[in-house]
């Protein structure tokens, strides 16, 4: 992954090492030099985005090299023990001055600002975190935040509408964190309230009926890694209070147990609700929210990502082509409607629509149709629900396509599951393709 480069020139070896460590945390690739000649050699080896230059070096003045560095494209910050007017650097207008002794926070501000400028200038040249497609500015900002927070041990709360990629973001945080342990995902809404505590913290043998042996919970399973608590507002408030304590102490107690177990787990939580409203409704404890929201990552809805819609559609099509060994293309005629659809189900809705259109298209062109009768997005891919008043034909088509999707295009298994003949499946597909879809498309 491409990163901005930094050269630290100072005869104080300790300072050079400290600055390089800071720079590493701020995503720079940092090199050090301890003399003017060392700096010259470094310059001959390559260009640097940012140079921290000491003035008084054992073999001359750092000021002598500033112009050369600037000509090579570097931004130069002068590190000096005395005020600019006394060192003669005041006449170099674009140069930043750092007075020694240099505080960590001053250095950090300088590096963060420089990183920000570099990131904007390279247009996200640092690449996207794993799993993401799209280069809209809104998403670039998301990538930037993921990159910054991933290597820290901060708890992260990811908020965003359904299908915006919260789980993708949680995995990306884990994968970019350098944590060697596993990524364990728990959907707090999918486990019965009374069982959630034992799922999370484990239980001792005999702690309740059916607890025939000791069981390690998700916290212990995620040791050394990341625990993703999805749909955090579905966790009962009493358990939220308990979770808060665990986050504070980094220790858990198994259900029915007495001793505490230390855990090294990074927690990432997510919700598709507005946290303020969830607090007002009493389903999210405010104290837990403050603890989880140590770092809050907000994922923008797809309708705010401009060209990402087409980029994702093309990428999904490409994946499908690879999977099915075909070379289909997105029909340009549907670009406009793709970009103007509101995408209530966000990226998940887009992916499903493209997949469906892919299955339906017999030629090389895939025409994605955004119908107002879309099924209501559901987190569980095996569920399909419709608004009252949806035409039966749409329901029928949807059920057929979703079942086909489920059986990966196997028409015999689809026919069997739906209780119709394979011939009927073919007939329906042809009918929908020839007429039905176009008629139901409002555009
Ligand atoms: N930027 C993206 N690029 C490509 N695929 C994406 C992107 N964002 C999300 N997806 C895909 O969209 C689908 C939904 O993503 P994900 O499950 O992470 O959403 P979510 O926000 O957790 O949704 P929910 O709130 O319903 O749980 C997944 O198939 C995921 O791989
Ligand atoms: Mg999710």
């Amino acid at each position: 992954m491409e990163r901005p480069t930094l050269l630290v020139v100072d005869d104080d070896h300790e300072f050079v090492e400290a600055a390089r460590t800071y720079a590493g945390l701020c995503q720079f690739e940092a090199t050090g030099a301890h003399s003017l000649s060392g700096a010259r050699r470094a310059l001959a080896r390559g260009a640097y985005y940012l140079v921290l230059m000491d003035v008084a070096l054992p073999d001359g003045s750092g000021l002598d090299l500033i112009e050369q560095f600037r000509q090579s494209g570097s931004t130069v910050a002068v590190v000096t023990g005395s005020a600019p007017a006394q060192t003669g650097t005041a006449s170099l207008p674009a140069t930043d001055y750092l007075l020694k002794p240099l505080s960590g926070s001053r250095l950090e501000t300088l590096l963060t600002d420089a990183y920000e400028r570099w990131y904007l200038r390279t247009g996200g040249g640092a690449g996207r975190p794993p799993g993401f497609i799209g280069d809209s500015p809104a998403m670039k900002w998301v990538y930037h935040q993921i990159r910054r927070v991933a290597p820290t041990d901060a708890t992260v709360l990811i908020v965003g509408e359904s299908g915006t990629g919260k789980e993708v973001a949680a995995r990306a945080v884990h994968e970019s964190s350098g944590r060697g342990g596993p990524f364990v995902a728990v959907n707090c809404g999918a486990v019965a309230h009374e069982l959630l505590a034992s799922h999370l913290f484990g239980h001792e043998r005999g702690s309740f009926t059916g607890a025939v042996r000791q069981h390690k919970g998700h916290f212990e399973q995620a040791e050394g890694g990341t625990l993703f608590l999805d749909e955090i507002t579905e966790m009962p408030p009493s358990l939220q209070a308990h979770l808060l304590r665990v986050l504070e102490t980094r220790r858990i107690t198994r259900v029915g147990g007495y001793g505490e177990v230390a855990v090294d787990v990074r927690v990432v939580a997510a919700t598709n609700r507005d946290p303020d409203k969830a607090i007002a409704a009493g389903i999210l404890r405010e104290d837990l929210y403050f603890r989880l929201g140590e770092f809050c990552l907000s994922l923008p809805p797809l309708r705010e990502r401009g060209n990402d819609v087409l980029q994702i559609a093309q990428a999904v099509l490409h994946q499908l082509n690879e999977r099915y060994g075909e070379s289909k293309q997105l029909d340009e005629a549907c670009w406009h409607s793709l970009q103007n659809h509101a995408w209530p189900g966000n990226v998940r809705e887009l992916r499903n629509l493209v997949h469906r259109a892919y299955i339906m298209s017999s030629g090389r062109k895939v025409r994605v149709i955004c119908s107002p009768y879309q099924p209501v997005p559901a987190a569980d891919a095996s569920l399909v629900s419709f608004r009252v008043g949806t035409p039966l034909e749409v329901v029928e088509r949807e059920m057929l396509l979703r079942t086909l999707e489920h059986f990966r295009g196997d028409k015999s298994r689809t026919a069997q599951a739906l209780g119709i003949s394979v011939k009927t499946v073919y007939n329906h597909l042809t009918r929908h393709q020839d007429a039905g879809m176009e008629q139901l498309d409002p555009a």
Side-chain angles (χ1 to χ4, degrees):
M1 191 166 74
E2 200 201 346
R3 293 198 291 166
T5 46
L6 168 75
L7 176 66
V8 191
V9 187
D10 204 309
D11 56 345
D12 179 349
H13 287 241
E14 255 179 49
F15 172 76
V16 172
E17 279 322 297
R20 287 184 60 191
T21 307
Y22 260 107
L25 294 173
C26 292
Q27 312 303 318
F28 277 84
E29 213 150 75
T31 314
H34 305 104
S35 61
L36 205 59
S37 51
R40 277 206 185 91
R41 283 196 298 276
L43 179 60
R45 279 198 301 271
Y48 301 86
Y49 182 67
L50 178 67
V51 178
L52 288 188
M53 177 66 91
D54 188 11
V55 177
L57 291 164
D59 52 348
S61 166
L63 300 181
D64 294 346
L65 265 186
I66 289 183
E67 205 39 53
Q68 283 184 47
F69 273 114
R70 287 173 60 192
Q71 277 176 11
S72 73
S74 308
T75 300
V76 184
V78 172
V79 185
T80 162
S82 40
Q86 289 159 11
T87 53
T89 50
S91 56
L92 301 167
T95 308
D96 235 312
Y97 303 100
L98 301 173
L99 269 185
K100 282 184 179 173
L102 197 56
S103 74
S105 63
R106 176 72 182 92
L107 186 57
E108 200 182 347
T109 311
L110 176 93
L111 292 170
T112 325
D113 290 351
Y115 183 86
E116 215 69 72
R117 285 194 302 273
W118 173 84
Y119 189 78
L120 294 175
R121 204 187 69 173
T122 53
R128 307 179 204 122
F132 282 104
I133 298 165
D135 292 313
S136 58
M139 287 310 285
K140 273 192 195 147
W141 177 234
V142 169
Y143 305 155
H144 178 69
Q145 292 175 88
I146 290 178
R147 254 192 297 277
R148 296 305 301 267
V149 77
T152 71
D153 61 4
T155 308
V156 181
L157 177 65
I158 306 173
V159 296
E161 291 177 13
S162 179
T164 44
K166 295 185 291 296
E167 182 148 357
V168 175
R171 282 180 193 279
V173 167
H174 172 68
E175 280 169 36
S176 317
S177 70
R179 295 183 67 85
F183 176 84
V184 177
V186 189
N187 184 340
C188 301
V191 181
H193 280 186
E194 57 280 13
L195 292 180
L196 192 53
S198 94
H199 274 243
L200 290 176
F201 307 117
H203 58 246
E204 294 295 348
R205 181 166 171 250
S207 55
F208 54 84
T209 321
V212 288
R213 61 176 73 88
Q214 187 203 59
H215 170 76
K216 284 192 175 169
H218 296 311
F219 262 95
E220 285 180 85
Q221 289 162 12
E223 176 64 25
T226 306
L227 179 61
F228 175 45
L229 298 175
D230 203 358
E231 298 198 36
I232 188 77
T233 58
E234 305 308 305
M235 183 184 281
S238 58
L239 199 53
Q240 289 186 20
H242 189 79
L243 173 65
L244 177 62
R245 219 180 73 80
V246 169
L247 292 176
E248 297 293 347
T249 61
R250 303 268 152 199
R251 305 179 81 80
I252 57 142
T253 307
R254 298 192 191 112
V255 172
Y258 294 102
E260 290 190 323
V261 183
V263 283
D264 167 24
V265 172
R266 203 279 180 80
V267 171
V268 176
T271 177
N272 50 22
R273 296 178 190 266
D274 173 339
D276 290 329
K277 285 189 187 150
I279 291 169
I283 53 171
L284 177 62
R285 285 183 62 115
E286 195 169 22
D287 48 8
L288 178 66
Y289 169 58
F290 286 132
R291 185 63 180 72
L292 289 175
E294 206 168 61
F295 193 98
C296 193
L297 182 67
S298 173
L299 291 183
L302 184 57
R303 61 189 163 277
E304 290 174 11
R305 300 189 203 172
N307 223 19
D308 285 7
V309 175
L310 284 185
Q311 213 178 323
I312 295 172
Q314 306 273 22
V316 173
L317 208 73
H318 180 72
Q319 287 163 3
L320 291 169
N321 276 335
E322 301 243 295
R323 193 195 303 171
Y324 298 113
E326 306 237 24
S327 55
K328 297 188 183 186
Q329 283 174 353
L330 197 63
D331 189 342
E332 289 176 22
C334 66
W335 286 15
H336 183 75
S337 78
L338 277 174
Q339 278 175 312
N340 287 288
H341 186 57
W343 302 112
N346 294 292
V347 185
R348 180 180 294 112
E349 180 186 356
L350 174 60
R351 291 194 84 106
N352 290 345
L353 267 192
V354 174
H355 194 175
R356 214 160 296 170
Y358 190 94
I359 294 173
M360 293 300 288
S361 66
S362 47
R364 279 197 64 203
K365 294 266 181 186
V366 175
R367 180 154 177 220
V368 184
I369 290 161
C370 313
S371 151
Y373 300 118
Q374 284 307 307
V376 181
D380 182 344
S382 66
L383 294 180
V384 194
S385 47
F386 295 95
R387 294 206 167 72
V388 169
T390 303
L392 274 182
E393 193 173 1
V394 176
V395 177
E396 184 191 80
R397 182 187 85 209
E398 212 39 60
M399 193 49 77
L400 178 66
L401 293 176
R402 290 289 277 267
T403 313
L404 260 175
E405 248 172 62
H406 179 80
F407 290 114
R408 295 179 170 258
D410 185 329
K411 297 187 182 63
S412 322
R413 293 178 71 192
T414 301
Q416 203 178 8
L418 294 176
I420 52 178
S421 69
V422 179
K423 187 164 180 299
T424 312
V425 171
Y426 276 104
N427 286 347
H428 276 301
L429 285 176
T430 318
R431 183 157 59 88
H432 289 313
Q433 196 165 5
D434 288 349
M437 287 173 73
E438 261 67 20
Q439 276 165 18
L440 290 163
D441 179 17

